[in-house]
Amino acid sequence: MRAAASEGTGAREGLPPRAIGLWGGLSANVLNMIGIGPFVTIPLALSALAGPGVLLGWIAGALLCLCDGLVWAELGSTIPESGGPYHYLREAYGREGAGRLFGFLYLWQTLLTAPLSIASAAVGFAQYAGFLMPSLGDAGRVVMAAGLCLFNTAVLYRRIGHIQKLSMLVSAVVVAACAWIVVTGIAHFDMAVARRFLDARPDAGQGFWLGLGAVALIAVYDYGGYNNVCMLGGEVRKPRRTIPRAVLLSIPLVALLYLGLNVSILGVLPWEPAAGSKAVVADFMQAIHGRSGGMLAVALILLASWGSALVVLLGYSRVPFAAARDGQFFRVFGSLHPRGGFPTVSLVFVGITSALACFLSLERLIATLMVVQILFQYIAQCFAVVALRRRRTAPEAFRMPLYPLPIVVSVVGWLYLVATAGWPSFVVALLAVVVGTLIFLVQSRRTRTWPFQST
């Protein structure tokens, strides 16, 4: 296996410097995870499964993410490179063999999912902005979301050290704001309102298990981002220790915030209007503090969603860069800024495609994003851990406890979510796999590389 990059902090020839510490990595994860997710998806979860089963879905999603987080922690510690999963899959399945296919498919799905992920945060931003500007309209929200993607591209066009400081500052504000919202809800908790939620029953037409899968899929989307530090692995100081800590600390922290947020809202707002709300946290705070409270909550949520879109763009912009440096993508995407040492063409490309993706609905963005990632990447990474463990690796690299149980739980959980996600998302994801494989085979035949190499 190719040797992992040095853990030093100085500049490395042709590569960005290692400048991100534990707090920077943790803030990149937490800001990505909190973002806009729960503020726009709580109504979607309540619509999918009425009653206390909704909370079970959030807990199931957190447990699945914790098991998957162990997978990411071990892979990120073993191969601390920017563009993370691209390198994990290449190394695990053979750099000059099937790993070429897996690496290309990850790159291919990233070209699809990166814009979807960033756009979902931007669309959520615009959706809450509509609370402050009711006259904005649907077209105005789309334009605002696209403009946010382009603005973030300009913000990230600078040294990573400057972005780390900004990320940590915004993360602190966002976590404090979420804690304030939760404490406010607990202080005004009404058991009579909560009892209506507890007595509610799932829609008989959908059934409990399909509804649970839908809520868990939403929860996993909201928890997503605990892997963001892995995308920046080549820019992390002491990555074999920093990456696992950043991943495994961020998941329980955010899970507690989300559960508290759900309980707080459902003890103040009746669950039926909450399920139909377009800005549920703003309605929740307005019910307690009046219009001024709702507006303050929206301001904090806009800050969170902006920060989330920013760090997701930061992480995903490194994937085409990593593939280009490895010879599997257009060479121009491997360009670094001559003074700042950050990817330039890759960053601009992901930013522009994210702006274009803002023209899709939020529900379709989330469902398609999750199913594509599961089929292309998450399941393959589980088996990548097994493959890499069979080889000699750095003795100081992190090893997940209770191996292989977290891998088994992850694979079963991912398959369950795909099975309950609905046919449209599955068909889109499957079609993307087939098209990506065909493109890879055509390219491999032209270049006489695996599986068409000369013997």
Side-chain angles (χ1 to χ4, degrees), residues 105 108 375-376 428-438:
L105 287 178
W108 173 247
L375 291 183
F376 269 94
V428 170
L430 187 61
L431 181 62
V433 172
V434 172
V435 172
T437 301
L438 291 176

Side-chain angles (χ1 to χ4, degrees), residues 219-381:
V220 169
Y221 164 77
D222 286 344
Y223 292 130
Y226 53 85
N227 52 16
N228 201 43
V229 68
C230 297
M231 310 293 286
L232 306 168
E235 298 165 69
V236 174
R237 294 196 302 266
K238 298 180 180 179
R240 298 197 192 282
R241 287 183 295 170
T242 300
I243 290 175
R245 291 176 181 177
V247 170
L248 299 177
L249 285 174
S250 59
I251 296 171
L253 172 63
V254 174
L256 288 174
L257 281 175
Y258 283 0
L259 287 173
L261 188 62
N262 274 270
V263 171
S264 298
I265 290 174
L266 293 170
V268 174
L269 291 180
W271 75 268
E272 297 97 329
S277 175
K278 294 295 184 182
V280 67
V281 176
D283 293 338
F284 159 75
M285 294 300 288
Q286 182 169 274
I288 296 173
H289 298 295
R291 177 69 177 176
S292 61
M295 293 179 69
L296 178 58
V298 167
L300 294 171
I301 290 168
L302 292 178
L303 178 64
S305 57
W306 167 72
S308 174
L310 184 77
V311 296
V312 175
L313 174 57
L314 173 65
Y316 275 123
S317 67
R318 269 52 180 176
V319 177
F321 166 78
R325 304 290 292 195
D326 215 27
Q328 272 211 302
F329 201 51
F330 299 110
R331 185 179 302 176
V332 68
F333 282 82
S335 303
L336 283 175
H337 192 276
R339 293 186 301 276
F342 59 88
T344 51
V345 176
S346 182
L347 171 63
V348 172
F349 174 80
V350 176
I352 291 175
T353 54
S354 300
L356 296 175
C358 291
F359 290 85
L360 298 175
S361 71
L362 184 63
E363 294 85 352
R364 182 56 56 202
L365 283 169
I366 292 173
T368 304
L369 168 69
M370 290 309 305
V371 175
V372 169
Q373 286 183 319
I374 290 170
L375 291 183
F376 269 94
Q377 177 187 351
Y378 294 164
I379 293 176
Q381 283 185 179

Side-chain angles (χ1 to χ4, degrees), residues 62-153:
L63 293 175
L64 175 57
C65 287
L66 186 59
C67 290
D68 186 60
L70 290 169
V71 171
W72 280 92
E74 180 160 332
L75 290 172
S77 179
T78 302
I79 308 175
E81 300 281 356
S82 292
Y86 172 78
H87 295 288
Y88 310 156
L89 299 172
R90 285 291 304 270
E91 298 289 355
Y93 297 105
R95 293 193 62 80
E96 299 306 323
R100 293 182 60 85
L101 172 60
F102 281 96
F104 179 85
L105 287 178
Y106 172 70
L107 171 64
W108 173 247
Q109 69 97 16
T110 298
L111 297 179
L112 300 174
T113 59
L116 296 176
S117 182
I118 300 163
S120 66
V123 169
F125 176 96
Q127 189 167 305
Y128 263 84
F131 183 88
L132 299 179
M133 296 176 285
S135 62
L136 193 60
D138 292 340
R141 284 192 286 269
V142 170
V143 172
M144 176 178 287
L148 180 69
C149 293
L150 299 178
F151 172 76
N152 281 347
T153 303

